Amino acid sequence: MTVVPAQTTSGLIAAPRAATPGTAFPAGFAWGAATAAYQIEGGVAEGGRTPSIWDVFSHTPGKVVNGDTGDIAVDHFHRFRDDVRMMADLGLTSYRFSLSWPRIQPTGRGPAVERGLDFYRALTDELLSHGITPVATLYHWDLPQHLEDLGGWTVRDTSYRFADYAALAAEALGDRIGTWTTLNEPWCSAFLGYASGVHAPGRTSPADALKAAHHLNLGHGLAVGVLRSALPASAQIAVSLNLHQIRPLTGDASDAEAARRIDAVGNRVFTDPILRGSYPADLLADTAHLVDWDALIRPEDLAEISRPIDLLGINYYTPTVVSSSENAEPAPRSEVHGASEHSPWPGADDVVFHLAPGEVTAMGWPIDATGLTDLLLDVHRAHPGLPMLVTENGAAFDDAVGPDGTVDDADRVAYLHDHIGAVARAIEAGADVRGYYLWSLMDNFEWAYGYEKRFGAVHVDYETLARTPKASARWYSEVIRRGGLA
Ligand code: IFM
C-alpha cells in the first residue's frame, strides 16, 4: 500500500484514505494547532482596527483576572512570520486561526480595510509557502463594539452584518483559504456573553442569551450562503461547536431529565437548526416563559440556518456531569462555568453540575478522554456521514520553566496522548474524523482568566514574548511525523 505523506494538499482538508500503517489515522489527516485573533494578535490599534467587545470588556475593571487585556497578547500581529516558521518546525500540516472582524471591517459595516486584509493575506501566504493548510474561523468572539452598541447578537441586524463581513473576507482571501468555519463555540458567545456575563459583552439576561443564540445561528446560515457564492466550489465550510458530552450523575429519571434539558440548551439549540432545520420542541417548551420564539424565528430562518455544511468542528475539553437539584452536592460554579451568580443555562438553571471523578487541569476541568470518543460517536450516530474535525482539544496546566529553560509539561503530554487515542478509537468505530487541532499552539490570553492559564504547546514568556516549545510540542511533532500514536 502506498502511504500518502501526512500532509493536506490544495488548501483543503483531505477525504479519508487508507490508514497510515500502525495507526488508526487516515493518510492526509490534518494535524494542526489552533488559536484565535484576540487571544494572540495584539496590535489592537493598528491598521485601522477598532475595539471589539473583548477590548471593552477586558478594559473594564474586575472583568479579567489581574486586569489583563489583549492589547499586546503574544504580539502575533508582528511576529507571525516567526510563528509560522515555528509551526513548520513542529511539522504542523494545518493551522486554525480566526480573522478579527474589527480589523477587517472596523465598524461592522461598510467596505473592508485593506490593511486588515493584508495581514491575513501575508499570514496565509506564509502558511501556504510552508505547506501548512490554513483553516480560517470568521468569528471567535470579537464582535465590533460598534455593533454591540446597536444591540449586539440580541438583534437580527447583526446576523446580516456578519454575512456581509463573511462576503468581504471570502472575496479577499478565498483564493488562499480553502477551509472556513463560520462561528467558534456560539454557546459561549450566547450564554457566557449574554446570560452569565463572564464573557464579553457581560450581559446577564436569559432572554437576551436565547435571542443571541438564534441570531448566531442565523448569522452562521447567512454566512454559509455568501461563502458558497464567493468561494470556489471546492471550498469546505464548517462551524465549530463546543458540544457538551453530558452524563447524568445517577440512573434516576430526574437526572436523565436534567441531562435532557442541558442537552437542549447546550447542544441541540445549535445542532438541530443547523443540521436538521428545526429547533428542538423541548427547548422551545423549556424556555417559552423567557422568550417569544414565534416572534424571534421568522419563517425563512430555518432554511437559511440549515444550509448544508461540509464539516462539523467539535471542540472538547471535559465531560459535563449533571443531576437534578435533588441529587448530591454541586461543584463550585466557578470550576464549571466561571464565577457568576447568573446561570448560563436559561430554562435549566436549577440543574446541578458536578465534577467528573479523577485528575483536573489548571482550569479545574476533569480529565476524561472517554468523553471525546463518546462525543464523536454520538455525533456520528446522530448525523451519519457528516465529516468531523476536532477543532479544539487541549489543557491548561501550571507549567514551570526549568533551570535549563525547558518546560517539561508531562501532564499535557499525557492529556494529549489520551485524547488523540480517544480520536483513534472513534475513527476505528466508524466516525469520519479528518483532523485534530491542539488548543493551543502557544500560551495566550485565556479570556476572563487573562494570562494566568497556559494552554500552549509552546511556552510564551510574557516579559520578553520569547517562544519556547514545551515537551508536549516536541512530543506532538513526533506524533505528526509518525501519522499517529506509537
Ligand atoms: O481559549 C478557549 C478558546 O478560545 C475557545 N475554546 C476553549 C478554549 C479554552 O478555554
Side-chain angles (χ1 to χ4, degrees), residues 39 140-141 184-185 317 365 392 439 446-447 455:
Q39 294 182 272
H140 198 126
W141 308 354
N184 181 71
E185 301 184 355
Y317 292 87
W365 297 347
E392 285 184 25
W439 185 272
E446 176 52 27
W447 307 112
F455 273 90

Side-chain angles (χ1 to χ4, degrees), residues 108-109 147 150 152 154-163 215:
R109 58 177 71 235
L147 291 184
L150 298 173
T154 69
V155 299
R156 195 174 168 88
D157 188 58
T158 300
S159 313
Y160 290 89
R161 301 285 67 75
F162 179 63
H215 295 137

